[in-house]
Amino acid sequence: MYKAMLVDDEQWVVANLRSAVDWARFGFEIAGTETHSPTARERIRELRPDVVFVDIRMPEISGLELIKQCREHQPDMLFIVVSGFAEFSYVQKCLNLGAIGYCLKPVEEEELVPLLKKAKDILDERAEKDVPSMLECLMEDSPPGLVRFSRLLAQAGIEPGRGMRVVAAVDLEGPEPLPPYRHVKLNGRSGRSLYIAQEDAQAPLLEHLRRYEGQYAGIGLSRPVHRAEAVKAAIEEAEMAACQYFIAGRPAVCQAGEPKGYGDFKGLSEALRKRDMSELTKLYEDYAGRFQTGAYRIKHAFFLYNAVLTAILQEQRTDAEQLEDYLLIDYERLIERYENLGELLRDLQRMTTAYLGGLYVQGQGQIRSDAFLAVLRYVNDHYNRNLTLQMLADEFYMNRNYIGQLFIKHVSRSFTDYLAELRIRRACELLRDSNLPVHRVGEEVGYHDAYYFSKIFKKMTGRTPRAYRTNE
């Protein structure tokens, strides 16, 4: 909801504006009203509304002067002038100062609605443009970046001290899940969105979000944070909580809790080393039960996958550099590879059984599969598209899991890691050789979420895209 303020020295005009339309229906809440222009100036600075309806003629400070003074402190504030029939010359001066429109007293609904829609379109477009910079500021891990991020939060009307939560939504199909909470929407990659929402003690956010269960694959809610610098960790919390649908095997709304460690997985490596199939079977059954109760989350599934692969490959004397080629770098790759937890656990048990039987051998040798060469060429040519294993399977009439196995066998990389390396390699070239903004570089190589692009880039190169460009 955007904030509106009504300023007119006549109380009846303020009442007229308030009752002329259902403000919430058009995305606005009335943050305040004022009939005394000097007081209005101070309250505008305090409340920082997104749009101000201002009477053109008021004693002490006119509407024209009020617009001038307010623009000195908040240049992007929107103004709509309220005037009488005989004041068009004043209206023209206000429009020259940047007011986006005017309405005549008494205000009618049919006159007010187009102005509210116009203001909302401007504010929505501005928010979309600000989004990449908000996320990039978080990735910078620098004091200037944090200052810029804090300023953008303030412009969105979010007050960290009152408490904030991050909401992540996966596979959006339904309506926006956060009205009427004050929030700012962040860009998300295909099928995903991120929001920073103001905490509201009177209306618990988790209960509100549960109304949308079933309309999304997953919705995740972070724990409350009270400092701008804590938002980055809250984003990770919310995104991991949103992925609980992968664990549950059904749509889910999940709130992040105290993180559970990985101590329960200590016995896995020992059982693999001893080749104790009975113990391994018992452990897998125990893990499956803990996942079903919600004790484990997506990060535990990610850890389990890498732990099994590490134990198997280390037993085969795989060196550290080769080992990195087989392991996943984050839980998102796990979701791209498997449909759900059940499929992951079945695959881990299959690999374990094959290993104990002496059948699991890491891929070696040249690429001899003509079919796979065609797949590889396709990926190399279309790396900037939204490629998935399922899309490749549909394109080449092959089994999705089989294509994944071919990547491991022939290029010693998972499909997702191979694709990420292609994209980041090309992104490095663009950062060195072009003047494209960082978020546009991400889009060029297939990442339409600036935050996710920066996160993957940093994981693979050790630096953010901006730091890489400036050679810091």
Side-chain angles (χ1 to χ4, degrees), residues 319-335:
D319 63 41
E321 186 174 339
Q322 286 179 304
L323 182 60
E324 289 182 2
D325 294 340
Y326 285 85
L327 303 182
L328 300 179
I329 64 172
D330 61 31
Y331 65 88
E332 308 241 4
R333 310 301 179 85
L334 194 71
I335 294 174

Side-chain angles (χ1 to χ4, degrees), residues 79-303:
F79 288 89
I80 294 173
V81 176
V82 182
S83 73
F85 281 104
E87 299 167 341
F88 189 74
S89 62
Y90 287 96
V91 169
Q92 192 63 46
K93 291 178 181 178
C94 290
L95 294 177
N96 291 339
L97 276 176
I100 65 169
Y102 68 95
C103 48
L104 299 174
K105 307 176 186 179
V107 180
E108 302 291 341
E109 180 179 8
E110 56 267 24
E111 187 178 14
L112 188 53
V113 167
L115 292 169
L116 289 178
K117 288 182 176 179
K118 181 178 180 179
K120 187 174 187 303
D121 286 344
I122 293 171
L123 292 166
D124 284 345
E125 182 180 359
R126 183 184 295 166
E128 289 295 324
K129 288 180 179 178
D130 282 342
V131 160
S133 61
M134 289 189 77
L135 294 172
E136 286 174 11
C137 289
L138 284 178
M139 287 304 300
E140 284 181 20
D141 290 328
S142 67
L146 185 60
V147 169
R148 287 195 294 272
F149 179 73
S150 299
R151 185 168 62 245
L152 290 169
L153 278 179
Q155 288 177 4
I158 304 294
E159 300 175 37
R162 289 177 50 202
M164 306 172 287
R165 290 180 187 259
V166 174
V167 177
V170 181
D171 290 345
L172 281 81
E173 293 181 0
E176 290 289 327
L178 281 172
Y181 293 83
R182 177 167 294 283
H183 68 280
V184 58
K185 183 177 180 180
L186 309 178
N187 267 352
R189 55 200 173 280
S190 179
R192 298 191 175 204
S193 279
L194 284 171
Y195 309 83
I196 301 174
Q198 188 78 70
E199 182 78 293
D200 187 342
Q202 304 304 314
L205 193 50
L206 183 61
E207 293 179 14
H208 172 79
L209 292 173
R210 281 181 173 148
R211 302 173 190 171
Y212 294 86
E213 192 165 30
Q215 298 186 58
Y216 303 85
I219 297 178
L221 179 64
S222 76
R223 290 173 293 175
V225 295
H226 297 82
R227 296 174 295 111
E229 55 266 37
V231 171
K232 183 178 177 182
I235 287 176
E236 294 289 339
E237 275 194 354
E239 288 192 323
M240 283 198 288
C243 292
Q244 193 64 14
Y245 74 92
F246 177 86
I247 305 300
R250 55 176 173 75
V253 176
C254 180
Q255 178 173 268
E258 285 296 328
K260 182 177 174 61
Y262 305 103
D264 296 338
F265 298 98
K266 288 181 179 179
L268 183 65
S269 298
E270 183 65 15
L272 281 164
R273 188 184 66 79
K274 291 180 177 179
R275 297 174 174 270
D276 187 340
M277 191 62 200
S278 175
E279 178 64 15
L280 286 166
T281 299
K282 180 176 178 300
L283 284 171
Y284 280 126
E285 289 176 352
D286 182 51
Y287 296 151
R290 289 173 183 261
F291 275 114
Q292 288 175 0
T293 63
Y296 292 159
R297 299 293 175 89
I298 187 67
K299 68 173 185 175
H300 296 96
F302 167 64
F303 180 88

Side-chain angles (χ1 to χ4, degrees), residues 268-269 272 302-319 323-324 326-328 348 351 355 360:
L268 183 65
S269 298
L272 281 164
F302 167 64
F303 180 88
L304 179 61
Y305 175 90
N306 279 346
V308 171
L309 263 290
T310 299
I312 290 175
L313 294 174
Q314 283 181 339
E315 284 294 309
Q316 297 182 351
R317 304 294 188 268
T318 304
D319 63 41
L323 182 60
E324 289 182 2
Y326 285 85
L327 303 182
L328 300 179
L348 290 180
M351 285 192 288
Y355 161 68
Y360 190 93

